[in-house]
Amino acid sequence: MKCQTYNIGVEATMEIIGGKWKPIILCHLRHQVMRTGELRRVIPNITQKMLTQQLRELEADNIINRHVYNQVPPKVEYSLTDYGKSLSHVLNQMCTWGETHIDLLKAAGEDVKLLNRDDVAQ
């Protein structure tokens, strides 16, 4: 087994939750258990293939649970594991920072729109 070396701790974090889609998926799963179709609705620009790939990677890293119900048609739900829930503070901070940044851009006269504010108490 090869020794993995990181220069700084954030590299390990980004290895697990980095990229365009994983933090967005995790932010939604912080609040509730969701099905694939629900995730597609709240993340309209993600393709089904990319969503499936990202969910599989997060599951493999023990960040999310995938629960398959034994029924027809099949029902699959995703939720954060306890380990995944340990990312909540980081995700809350990212959402808060992003909302503040958008507010600053708006105040500077930029044409930006935020469709939903996060419901985490600040």
Side-chain angles (χ1 to χ4, degrees):
M1 186 180 230
K2 184 181 173 197
C3 175
Q4 178 67 41
T5 301
Y6 299 100
N7 292 304
I8 189 169
V10 74
E11 289 179 36
T13 305
M14 295 306 293
E15 184 175 344
I16 302 300
I17 67 164
K20 180 176 182 177
W21 301 113
K22 287 181 183 176
I24 297 169
I25 292 166
L26 293 172
C27 279
H28 287 293
L29 291 177
R30 264 177 327 155
H31 301 299
Q32 63 187 341
V33 173
M34 297 182 84
R35 296 177 66 180
T36 307
E38 293 171 317
L39 285 165
R40 282 291 311 272
R41 278 189 289 285
V42 297
I43 313 170
N45 295 327
I46 194 170
T47 64
Q48 182 63 50
K49 179 181 177 184
M50 182 57 69
L51 177 59
T52 300
Q53 176 185 330
Q54 300 295 285
L55 289 169
R56 285 182 182 154
E57 289 175 12
L58 289 166
E59 182 183 12
D61 289 328
N62 194 35
I63 302 299
I64 64 170
N65 285 315
R66 178 177 186 263
H67 185 247
V68 181
Y69 292 88
N70 188 17
Q71 67 182 48
V72 177
K75 176 181 175 183
V76 179
E77 290 183 334
Y78 295 93
S79 61
L80 292 179
T81 62
D82 287 340
Y83 186 50
K85 288 175 186 173
S86 71
L87 288 165
S88 287
H89 180 70
V90 172
L91 297 167
N92 293 347
Q93 293 297 322
M94 290 173 70
C95 286
T96 300
W97 189 92
E99 290 172 2
T100 302
H101 180 67
I102 289 167
D103 291 342
L104 289 172
L105 293 174
K106 284 174 133 178
E110 295 205 28
D111 186 17
V112 330
K113 190 185 311 183
L114 176 61
L115 298 178
N116 297 294
R117 287 207 174 260
D118 198 50
D119 61 359
V120 173
Q122 312 230 357

